[in-house]
Amino acid sequence: MLGSSLFAANADEFNADNYLTGDLGGLRSQLHDKGVDLQLMYTFETGTNIKGGQSEHEYSYADQTIFGVDTDLEKLFDLSGASFHMQFVNRGGQSESLATKGETGQLLQSLEVYGRGRTTRISAFYYQQKLFDDKLDIKLGRMGFSSQFAAFRCEMAYLGGCSSQPGNFNNTIYNFPIAPWAAVVNYQFNDDWYLRVGAIQMNPNWLSHGQRLNFLNASGTEGVTLPVELGWNPTINNLPGTYKLGFWHDNVGGDDLYFNEDGQPLALNGGEAKRNNSRNGGYFVVDQQLTTEDGSDQGLSIFSMGTFNDRDMTTVDRSLIVGLSYKGLFDGRDDDNLGVAAHYLHVSQRLADGERLQIRNGQLVDVQNDEWGVTAYYTMQVTPYFKLHPELQFMGNPGGTSANSDVWAAVIRGDLTF
């Protein structure tokens, strides 16, 4: 999910030191001055379940390569406030995740770049127009929910602590690198407050390999997701903060976890699941610097994100992560980041009620409830273009049931910008 932050980075003043290949003999800086920024980033994640799961000491590896082009149309063609963004993502590595190989039962992956198939996809292809002294920002084209809404820091390899979360739980929302057609409008009231609304296509065919490099449209659109986000970026005690409150609605819905088409419990009567025609959800994001060293971004910060999902259709109906991080804790390591976070995932009561009915009916099933865990990490800024990130993960009650043993996983992530 790192790709959602690349375009923002390209908007900064060009610095050749941020790239392994430097200025490429002056080519990069010349392109930047003309309005074209290129980005090539490689991320790898590898880990093992050192304890827990049906099969301990399994190993998995996943990687991701991102190529992006950020074009300033005002510099190129004198189109005031206009730009165009295009991005391709290749995901590779092993075909099975660590959770699958270790049979850990956990609800979210330990390696966040695993998923959506080992293939190359279009992850962004959109036009952006700023109007009214940049107060109004309009984006039209191909983009994912996670690149525009519920944006959250991505400092962990654990999926529950990396970037936008609603798409991790709702199958009508597609996170990076899936990019359906969308329209997003942002209005900046002042330096602190903004309101963002969007309309995002819901089409499951975008998940197939056959559509991976289709620039046009995939047949099979089922509906639309309508998100809205209110954001506040204050300065509190001279320290920056980010606060977001979001809500989304779709007209697609999904299969009920408890009832069948006749309004009877699925667990007792079987049949086809009841089809719900819409669903809603919400989220919040908090990220606040608490201390500083000489007015810089070094110091202690607190961060948190929560999601609220439809309990009738969504296995995890509530999630919460809360953490602390410290940037520049050690002398001479100003850009390193040490962090620890606790997460909580609640399995829908609707699903648990159905499992209890199965038990009463003589079936052997495990009733799901809560999964919780702690993640500790240290991000080393080895060079301006290379980060190395060891991480230790603990998951209690994996899958929300005590039938699964607690899991300890050790992970290493690396980020390299060419």
Side-chain angles (χ1 to χ4, degrees), residues 44-48 50 110-111 154-158 330 333 336-341 374-382 386-394 409-415:
F44 71 84
E45 294 175 353
T46 182
T48 180
I50 54 181
S110 289
L111 308 181
C154 187
E155 291 185 349
M156 283 177 265
Y158 172 65
F330 304 112
R333 306 299 308 171
D336 288 4
N337 214 333
L338 174 67
V340 60
V374 178
T375 299
Y377 62 89
Y378 186 76
T379 302
M380 294 177 282
Q381 189 75 52
V382 182
F386 179 56
K387 294 180 180 179
L388 193 61
H389 172 107
E391 179 172 309
L392 185 64
Q393 304 171 1
F394 170 78
V411 174
I412 293 179
R413 184 174 88 186
D415 300 312

Short mmCIF file of all heavy atoms in Angstrom, two decimals, residues 44-48 50 110-111 154-158 330 333 336-341 374-382 386-394 409-415:
data_model
loop_
_atom_site.label_atom_id
_atom_site.label_comp_id
_atom_site.label_asym_id
_atom_site.label_seq_id
_atom_site.Cartn_x
_atom_site.Cartn_y
_atom_site.Cartn_z
N PHE A 44 10.31 -5.21 -0.42
CA PHE A 44 10.25 -6.64 -0.14
C PHE A 44 9.87 -6.84 1.33
O PHE A 44 10.20 -6.03 2.19
CB PHE A 44 11.59 -7.33 -0.44
CG PHE A 44 12.70 -7.00 0.53
CD1 PHE A 44 12.84 -7.68 1.74
CD2 PHE A 44 13.61 -6.00 0.24
CE1 PHE A 44 13.85 -7.38 2.63
CE2 PHE A 44 14.63 -5.68 1.12
CZ PHE A 44 14.76 -6.37 2.32
N GLU A 45 9.16 -7.91 1.59
CA GLU A 45 8.78 -8.30 2.94
C GLU A 45 8.94 -9.81 3.08
O GLU A 45 8.47 -10.57 2.22
CB GLU A 45 7.34 -7.89 3.25
CG GLU A 45 7.13 -6.39 3.28
CD GLU A 45 5.68 -5.98 3.48
OE1 GLU A 45 4.80 -6.87 3.46
OE2 GLU A 45 5.44 -4.78 3.63
N THR A 46 9.61 -10.23 4.12
CA THR A 46 9.78 -11.65 4.37
C THR A 46 9.62 -11.92 5.85
O THR A 46 9.97 -11.08 6.69
CB THR A 46 11.17 -12.13 3.89
OG1 THR A 46 11.29 -13.53 4.10
CG2 THR A 46 12.30 -11.42 4.62
N GLY A 47 9.04 -13.06 6.19
CA GLY A 47 8.78 -13.34 7.60
C GLY A 47 8.56 -14.81 7.88
O GLY A 47 8.41 -15.63 6.97
N THR A 48 8.52 -15.12 9.17
CA THR A 48 8.29 -16.49 9.62
C THR A 48 7.46 -16.46 10.90
O THR A 48 7.54 -15.51 11.69
CB THR A 48 9.63 -17.21 9.88
OG1 THR A 48 9.37 -18.55 10.33
CG2 THR A 48 10.46 -16.51 10.94
N ILE A 50 7.49 -17.71 14.15
CA ILE A 50 8.45 -18.36 15.04
C ILE A 50 7.76 -19.18 16.13
O ILE A 50 8.36 -20.07 16.73
CB ILE A 50 9.40 -17.32 15.67
CG1 ILE A 50 8.62 -16.20 16.35
CG2 ILE A 50 10.33 -16.74 14.61
CD1 ILE A 50 9.50 -15.13 16.98
N SER A 110 0.41 -10.89 7.83
CA SER A 110 1.62 -10.36 8.44
C SER A 110 2.48 -9.59 7.44
O SER A 110 3.28 -8.75 7.82
CB SER A 110 2.46 -11.51 9.02
OG SER A 110 1.84 -12.05 10.17
N LEU A 111 2.31 -9.89 6.14
CA LEU A 111 3.04 -9.21 5.08
C LEU A 111 2.05 -8.42 4.24
O LEU A 111 1.27 -8.99 3.47
CB LEU A 111 3.78 -10.22 4.19
CG LEU A 111 4.67 -11.24 4.90
CD1 LEU A 111 5.35 -12.16 3.88
CD2 LEU A 111 5.73 -10.55 5.76
N CYS A 154 1.91 4.17 6.97
CA CYS A 154 2.20 2.78 6.65
C CYS A 154 3.60 2.46 7.12
O CYS A 154 4.54 2.36 6.33
CB CYS A 154 2.06 2.52 5.15
SG CYS A 154 2.23 0.77 4.70
N GLU A 155 3.76 2.29 8.42
CA GLU A 155 5.07 2.02 9.01
C GLU A 155 5.23 0.57 9.44
O GLU A 155 6.29 0.18 9.90
CB GLU A 155 5.31 2.94 10.21
CG GLU A 155 5.49 4.40 9.82
CD GLU A 155 5.83 5.27 11.00
OE1 GLU A 155 5.71 4.79 12.14
OE2 GLU A 155 6.21 6.43 10.78
N MET A 156 4.18 -0.22 9.29
CA MET A 156 4.23 -1.61 9.71
C MET A 156 4.06 -2.55 8.53
O MET A 156 3.37 -2.22 7.56
CB MET A 156 3.13 -1.88 10.74
CG MET A 156 3.46 -1.36 12.12
SD MET A 156 2.09 -1.62 13.28
CE MET A 156 1.29 -0.04 13.18
N ALA A 157 4.68 -3.72 8.62
CA ALA A 157 4.44 -4.77 7.64
C ALA A 157 3.11 -5.47 7.92
O ALA A 157 2.49 -6.02 7.01
CB ALA A 157 5.57 -5.78 7.64
N TYR A 158 2.66 -5.46 9.18
CA TYR A 158 1.36 -6.02 9.54
C TYR A 158 0.27 -5.24 8.83
O TYR A 158 0.20 -4.01 8.91
CB TYR A 158 1.17 -5.97 11.05
CG TYR A 158 -0.23 -6.35 11.49
CD1 TYR A 158 -0.71 -7.64 11.29
CD2 TYR A 158 -1.07 -5.42 12.10
CE1 TYR A 158 -1.99 -7.99 11.68
CE2 TYR A 158 -2.35 -5.76 12.50
CZ TYR A 158 -2.81 -7.05 12.28
OH TYR A 158 -4.08 -7.40 12.67
N PHE A 330 17.64 8.03 18.76
CA PHE A 330 19.07 7.85 19.02
C PHE A 330 19.89 8.92 18.32
O PHE A 330 19.57 9.34 17.19
CB PHE A 330 19.52 6.45 18.56
CG PHE A 330 18.73 5.34 19.19
CD1 PHE A 330 17.88 4.55 18.43
CD2 PHE A 330 18.84 5.08 20.55
CE1 PHE A 330 17.15 3.53 19.01
CE2 PHE A 330 18.12 4.06 21.14
CZ PHE A 330 17.27 3.28 20.37
N ARG A 333 20.77 9.33 14.41
CA ARG A 333 19.77 8.56 13.65
C ARG A 333 18.47 9.36 13.61
O ARG A 333 17.42 8.91 14.04
CB ARG A 333 19.53 7.18 14.28
CG ARG A 333 20.76 6.32 14.52
CD ARG A 333 21.47 6.01 13.22
NE ARG A 333 20.56 5.45 12.22
CZ ARG A 333 20.89 5.25 10.95
NH1 ARG A 333 22.09 5.60 10.50
NH2 ARG A 333 20.03 4.73 10.11
N ASP A 336 15.35 7.74 11.80
CA ASP A 336 14.87 6.42 12.22
C ASP A 336 13.59 6.56 13.03
O ASP A 336 13.33 7.60 13.65
CB ASP A 336 15.93 5.70 13.06
CG ASP A 336 17.11 5.24 12.22
OD1 ASP A 336 17.14 5.54 11.01
OD2 ASP A 336 18.00 4.58 12.78
N ASN A 337 12.81 5.49 13.05
CA ASN A 337 11.53 5.53 13.75
C ASN A 337 11.32 4.24 14.53
O ASN A 337 11.37 3.14 13.97
CB ASN A 337 10.39 5.72 12.74
CG ASN A 337 9.25 6.55 13.31
OD1 ASN A 337 9.05 6.58 14.51
ND2 ASN A 337 8.52 7.21 12.44
N LEU A 338 11.11 4.38 15.82
CA LEU A 338 10.81 3.25 16.71
C LEU A 338 9.35 3.31 17.09
O LEU A 338 8.84 4.39 17.47
CB LEU A 338 11.69 3.32 17.96
CG LEU A 338 11.40 2.30 19.07
CD1 LEU A 338 11.75 0.89 18.61
CD2 LEU A 338 12.19 2.66 20.33
N GLY A 339 8.64 2.19 16.98
CA GLY A 339 7.21 2.23 17.27
C GLY A 339 6.67 0.95 17.85
O GLY A 339 7.25 -0.13 17.71
N VAL A 340 5.54 1.07 18.53
CA VAL A 340 4.81 -0.08 19.06
C VAL A 340 3.32 0.23 18.95
O VAL A 340 2.90 1.37 19.15
CB VAL A 340 5.20 -0.39 20.52
CG1 VAL A 340 4.89 0.77 21.44
CG2 VAL A 340 4.53 -1.68 21.01
N ALA A 341 2.53 -0.77 18.57
CA ALA A 341 1.09 -0.56 18.39
C ALA A 341 0.32 -1.80 18.83
O ALA A 341 0.79 -2.93 18.69
CB ALA A 341 0.77 -0.24 16.93
N VAL A 374 -0.08 -7.19 19.31
CA VAL A 374 0.87 -6.10 19.50
C VAL A 374 1.96 -6.23 18.44
O VAL A 374 2.43 -7.33 18.14
CB VAL A 374 1.50 -6.12 20.91
CG1 VAL A 374 2.52 -5.00 21.06
CG2 VAL A 374 0.42 -6.02 21.98
N THR A 375 2.36 -5.10 17.88
CA THR A 375 3.44 -5.07 16.90
C THR A 375 4.49 -4.06 17.33
O THR A 375 4.14 -2.93 17.70
CB THR A 375 2.91 -4.68 15.50
OG1 THR A 375 1.95 -5.65 15.07
CG2 THR A 375 4.03 -4.60 14.48
N ALA A 376 5.75 -4.45 17.29
CA ALA A 376 6.86 -3.55 17.60
C ALA A 376 7.79 -3.51 16.39
O ALA A 376 8.06 -4.55 15.77
CB ALA A 376 7.63 -4.01 18.84
N TYR A 377 8.28 -2.32 16.04
CA TYR A 377 9.09 -2.18 14.83
C TYR A 377 10.14 -1.10 15.01
O TYR A 377 10.04 -0.22 15.87
CB TYR A 377 8.21 -1.84 13.62
CG TYR A 377 7.49 -0.52 13.74
CD1 TYR A 377 8.08 0.66 13.29
CD2 TYR A 377 6.21 -0.44 14.30
CE1 TYR A 377 7.42 1.88 13.39
CE2 TYR A 377 5.55 0.77 14.40
CZ TYR A 377 6.16 1.92 13.95
OH TYR A 377 5.51 3.13 14.06
N TYR A 378 11.17 -1.19 14.17
CA TYR A 378 12.19 -0.14 14.11
C TYR A 378 12.54 0.08 12.65
O TYR A 378 13.01 -0.84 11.96
CB TYR A 378 13.44 -0.53 14.89
CG TYR A 378 14.44 0.60 14.97
CD1 TYR A 378 14.24 1.66 15.85
CD2 TYR A 378 15.58 0.61 14.17
CE1 TYR A 378 15.15 2.71 15.92
CE2 TYR A 378 16.50 1.65 14.24
CZ TYR A 378 16.27 2.70 15.12
OH TYR A 378 17.17 3.74 15.19
N THR A 379 12.30 1.29 12.15
CA THR A 379 12.60 1.63 10.77
C THR A 379 13.92 2.38 10.70
O THR A 379 14.06 3.47 11.28
CB THR A 379 11.49 2.50 10.15
OG1 THR A 379 10.24 1.79 10.22
CG2 THR A 379 11.79 2.83 8.70
N MET A 380 14.89 1.78 10.03
CA MET A 380 16.21 2.39 9.88
C MET A 380 16.32 3.06 8.51
O MET A 380 16.17 2.39 7.48
CB MET A 380 17.30 1.33 10.02
CG MET A 380 17.39 0.70 11.40
SD MET A 380 18.64 -0.61 11.46
CE MET A 380 17.74 -1.95 10.67
N GLN A 381 16.56 4.37 8.51
CA GLN A 381 16.81 5.09 7.27
C GLN A 381 18.28 4.93 6.94
O GLN A 381 19.12 5.75 7.29
CB GLN A 381 16.44 6.56 7.42
CG GLN A 381 16.44 7.35 6.12
CD GLN A 381 15.23 7.04 5.25
OE1 GLN A 381 14.08 7.12 5.70
NE2 GLN A 381 15.47 6.67 3.99
N VAL A 382 18.61 3.83 6.26
CA VAL A 382 20.00 3.50 5.98
C VAL A 382 20.64 4.56 5.09
O VAL A 382 21.76 5.02 5.34
CB VAL A 382 20.11 2.11 5.33
CG1 VAL A 382 21.56 1.73 5.10
CG2 VAL A 382 19.44 1.07 6.22
N PHE A 386 16.95 4.22 0.96
CA PHE A 386 16.79 2.84 1.40
C PHE A 386 16.43 2.79 2.88
O PHE A 386 17.11 3.38 3.72
CB PHE A 386 18.08 2.04 1.16
CG PHE A 386 18.00 0.61 1.62
CD1 PHE A 386 17.00 -0.23 1.15
CD2 PHE A 386 18.91 0.11 2.55
CE1 PHE A 386 16.92 -1.55 1.58
CE2 PHE A 386 18.83 -1.21 2.98
CZ PHE A 386 17.84 -2.04 2.49
N LYS A 387 15.33 2.07 3.17
CA LYS A 387 14.90 1.83 4.55
C LYS A 387 14.92 0.33 4.82
O LYS A 387 14.52 -0.48 3.98
CB LYS A 387 13.47 2.35 4.78
CG LYS A 387 13.31 3.84 4.70
CD LYS A 387 11.85 4.21 4.96
CE LYS A 387 11.63 5.71 4.88
NZ LYS A 387 10.20 6.08 5.11
N LEU A 388 15.34 -0.04 6.02
CA LEU A 388 15.31 -1.43 6.47
C LEU A 388 14.50 -1.48 7.76
O LEU A 388 14.72 -0.66 8.67
CB LEU A 388 16.72 -1.96 6.69
CG LEU A 388 16.84 -3.48 6.87
CD1 LEU A 388 16.34 -4.19 5.60
CD2 LEU A 388 18.29 -3.86 7.14
N HIS A 389 13.60 -2.45 7.84
CA HIS A 389 12.55 -2.39 8.86
C HIS A 389 12.32 -3.77 9.47
O HIS A 389 11.58 -4.58 8.93
CB HIS A 389 11.28 -1.87 8.16
CG HIS A 389 10.04 -1.90 8.99
ND1 HIS A 389 9.46 -0.77 9.52
CD2 HIS A 389 9.24 -2.91 9.36
CE1 HIS A 389 8.37 -1.10 10.17
NE2 HIS A 389 8.21 -2.41 10.09
N PRO A 390 12.95 -4.10 10.60
CA PRO A 390 12.62 -5.33 11.32
C PRO A 390 11.37 -5.12 12.18
O PRO A 390 11.13 -4.02 12.69
CB PRO A 390 13.86 -5.58 12.18
CG PRO A 390 14.45 -4.24 12.40
CD PRO A 390 14.12 -3.40 11.19
N GLU A 391 10.60 -6.19 12.34
CA GLU A 391 9.31 -6.07 13.05
C GLU A 391 8.99 -7.39 13.76
O GLU A 391 9.22 -8.47 13.23
CB GLU A 391 8.23 -5.72 12.03
CG GLU A 391 6.82 -5.59 12.60
CD GLU A 391 5.87 -5.04 11.55
OE1 GLU A 391 6.19 -4.01 10.94
OE2 GLU A 391 4.80 -5.66 11.32
N LEU A 392 8.42 -7.28 14.96
CA LEU A 392 7.97 -8.43 15.73
C LEU A 392 6.47 -8.30 15.96
O LEU A 392 6.00 -7.26 16.44
CB LEU A 392 8.71 -8.52 17.06
CG LEU A 392 8.41 -9.75 17.93
CD1 LEU A 392 8.85 -11.03 17.23
CD2 LEU A 392 9.09 -9.62 19.30
N GLN A 393 5.72 -9.34 15.60
CA GLN A 393 4.26 -9.31 15.70
C GLN A 393 3.78 -10.40 16.66
O GLN A 393 4.27 -11.53 16.62
CB GLN A 393 3.63 -9.54 14.33
CG GLN A 393 4.07 -8.57 13.26
CD GLN A 393 3.58 -8.99 11.87
OE1 GLN A 393 2.90 -10.01 11.71
NE2 GLN A 393 3.95 -8.22 10.86
N PHE A 394 2.80 -10.05 17.48
CA PHE A 394 2.12 -11.03 18.33
C PHE A 394 0.63 -10.96 18.06
O PHE A 394 0.06 -9.86 18.00
CB PHE A 394 2.38 -10.77 19.81
CG PHE A 394 1.51 -11.60 20.72
CD1 PHE A 394 1.80 -12.94 20.94
CD2 PHE A 394 0.38 -11.06 21.32
CE1 PHE A 394 0.99 -13.72 21.75
CE2 PHE A 394 -0.44 -11.82 22.13
CZ PHE A 394 -0.13 -13.17 22.35
N ALA A 409 5.33 -13.71 15.10
CA ALA A 409 5.92 -13.66 13.77
C ALA A 409 7.03 -12.62 13.73
O ALA A 409 6.91 -11.54 14.32
CB ALA A 409 4.86 -13.32 12.73
N ALA A 410 8.10 -12.96 13.05
CA ALA A 410 9.23 -12.03 12.85
C ALA A 410 9.28 -11.68 11.36
O ALA A 410 9.24 -12.57 10.51
CB ALA A 410 10.54 -12.65 13.30
N VAL A 411 9.36 -10.38 11.08
CA VAL A 411 9.28 -9.89 9.70
C VAL A 411 10.38 -8.87 9.45
O VAL A 411 10.76 -8.11 10.36
CB VAL A 411 7.89 -9.24 9.44
CG1 VAL A 411 7.85 -8.60 8.06
CG2 VAL A 411 6.79 -10.27 9.59
N ILE A 412 10.88 -8.85 8.23
CA ILE A 412 11.81 -7.79 7.80
C ILE A 412 11.27 -7.21 6.49
O ILE A 412 10.90 -7.94 5.57
CB ILE A 412 13.24 -8.32 7.58
CG1 ILE A 412 13.85 -8.77 8.90
CG2 ILE A 412 14.12 -7.24 6.94
CD1 ILE A 412 15.25 -9.31 8.78
N ARG A 413 11.21 -5.88 6.43
CA ARG A 413 10.79 -5.18 5.23
C ARG A 413 11.89 -4.24 4.76
O ARG A 413 12.58 -3.64 5.57
CB ARG A 413 9.51 -4.38 5.47
CG ARG A 413 8.97 -3.70 4.23
CD ARG A 413 7.63 -3.04 4.49
NE ARG A 413 7.78 -1.67 4.97
CZ ARG A 413 6.76 -0.91 5.39
NH1 ARG A 413 5.54 -1.42 5.42
NH2 ARG A 413 6.96 0.31 5.80
N GLY A 414 12.02 -4.11 3.46
CA GLY A 414 12.97 -3.15 2.89
C GLY A 414 12.31 -2.33 1.81
O GLY A 414 11.52 -2.85 1.02
N ASP A 415 12.60 -1.02 1.77
CA ASP A 415 12.06 -0.11 0.77
C ASP A 415 13.21 0.57 0.05
O ASP A 415 14.05 1.24 0.69
CB ASP A 415 11.17 0.96 1.41
CG ASP A 415 9.97 0.36 2.14
OD1 ASP A 415 9.31 -0.51 1.56
OD2 ASP A 415 9.72 0.75 3.30
#
